[in-house]
Amino acid sequence: MGATKLSGMQKQVLSLYRGFLRAARSKPTEDRKRIETIVSTEFRKNSKEVDRKNFQYIEYLLRLGHKQLDQLKSPDMVSISSVKIN
């Protein structure tokens, strides 16, 4: 059985997801669990709700995600919250 080849955008999304999980590891245990739950929930929700052909919106979410990840990597930042964006 051959491996499925991922598109460039799919690789970017997976890389961003892994980046959030790595950043969560640097936070206290209780915050880490909360961060991991929020990240997992948001990525799963977007994977179901966002049309895979809506490249502009996906690119927007990637940019937003990278900004949030940069903030989360800051030593001053303890946790993140989930915000509904339409």
Side-chain angles (χ1 to χ4, degrees), residues 9-81:
M9 195 167 287
Q10 288 171 318
K11 289 177 184 176
Q12 289 177 33
V13 171
L14 289 173
S15 174
L16 180 62
Y17 182 75
R18 286 190 303 266
F20 271 107
L21 295 182
R22 277 190 211 104
R25 282 190 233 142
S26 69
K27 305 301 177 188
T29 305
E30 61 277 357
D31 295 322
R32 179 182 323 139
K33 296 290 184 195
R34 184 166 177 266
I35 292 166
E36 290 170 349
T37 300
I38 290 171
V39 168
S40 176
T41 302
E42 287 295 311
F43 273 80
R44 287 182 194 279
K45 179 181 70 94
N46 285 327
S47 74
K48 291 176 182 151
E49 293 180 1
V50 176
D51 180 13
R52 291 176 183 230
K53 293 186 169 98
N54 190 348
F55 301 120
Q56 284 184 316
Y57 188 60
I58 294 169
E59 287 172 350
Y60 163 75
L61 290 174
L62 281 168
R63 285 192 304 273
L64 181 65
H66 282 290
K67 287 179 185 176
Q68 291 173 332
L69 179 56
D70 287 342
Q71 290 175 342
L72 183 62
K73 286 180 178 178
S74 167
D76 299 332
M77 178 69 76
V78 176
S79 189
I80 59 173
S81 64

